[in-house]
Amino acid sequence: MTPADRDRFEKCLALAAQGATAGERAAAQAAAARIAAGAGLTLAEAIRAVRPARAESGSRSAPRRPYAWAQPKEPVTPITVEELLRQKAETEAWRKRAAARAKQRRRQVQPDEEAYAAEQRARQAERDRAWAQARAGASSDDP
C-alpha cells in the first residue's frame, strides 16, 4: 500500500467510525474495503497493517509526537539581584572601556587639541595654587 493509499485508507476508516449518517459511514466502509482490495488485502488485514496497536487492543493509537515549536515552554526563572548586579557591573566596565577607547582615538586624531587641553589644565592648576595661597594668607591674617 502506497503512502497516499494508506492516508486515504485511514481517512476512510475515520469517516466510517465517526460519520454523521449511517449512509456516510457505510460508504466510507465500502471505500476502505476497495482500497484494501486494491492493495491485495482484506479489510481486516489492511486495518492490522495500518494500525496494528489499534486493531489488537481496540483503543486509539498513541498520539503523534508534537512538533518542537509545540512543546511546552520551560517555566521562566526570575532573575536574581546578584545577577542584576553582575550585569550592571559588566555594562559599566564595558562603558569605561568604550570611553577609554574613544579618548585614545581622539588623542590620535587630534594631538594638537590634547596638547591645548594639557596646557589649559596646567594654567588652571597654577591659578588654583595661587588662590589657595591667597586664601591661606588671608585666613592667617585674621586672628
Side-chain angles (χ1 to χ4, degrees):
M1 189 178 295
T2 66
D5 287 340
R6 184 183 188 106
D7 186 46
R8 192 163 155 240
F9 181 74
E10 287 187 8
K11 288 178 182 177
C12 288
L13 287 179
L15 188 59
Q18 301 170 353
T21 64
E24 189 177 40
R25 290 189 296 272
Q29 186 79 17
R34 282 193 308 273
I35 294 169
L41 303 169
T42 65
L43 184 60
E45 291 171 340
I47 291 173
R48 278 193 301 273
V50 172
R51 297 184 182 159
R54 187 173 184 187
E56 292 170 8
S57 66
S59 65
R60 294 192 136 171
S61 62
R64 291 183 182 174
R65 195 176 112 216
Y67 295 103
W69 51 264
Q71 294 291 334
K73 293 183 178 180
E74 292 288 326
V76 177
T77 55
I79 192 165
T80 62
V81 174
E82 291 80 17
E83 177 64 17
L84 282 173
L85 292 174
R86 186 196 64 77
Q87 289 177 1
K88 186 176 180 179
E90 187 177 294
T91 302
E92 199 58 36
W94 176 83
R95 286 182 179 159
K96 285 181 181 179
R97 288 191 308 270
R101 283 191 305 269
K103 185 176 181 180
Q104 185 64 28
R105 268 189 248 115
R106 278 194 310 272
R107 284 182 182 165
Q108 291 173 350
V109 173
Q110 299 172 336
D112 295 339
E113 184 177 325
E114 185 60 33
Y116 175 77
E119 181 184 331
Q120 292 302 317
R121 282 192 299 273
R123 286 183 182 173
Q124 184 63 46
E126 183 59 37
R127 285 193 298 268
D128 290 345
R129 280 191 296 275
W131 177 83
Q133 287 174 353
R135 183 152 171 94
S139 63
S140 65
D141 291 341
D142 295 335

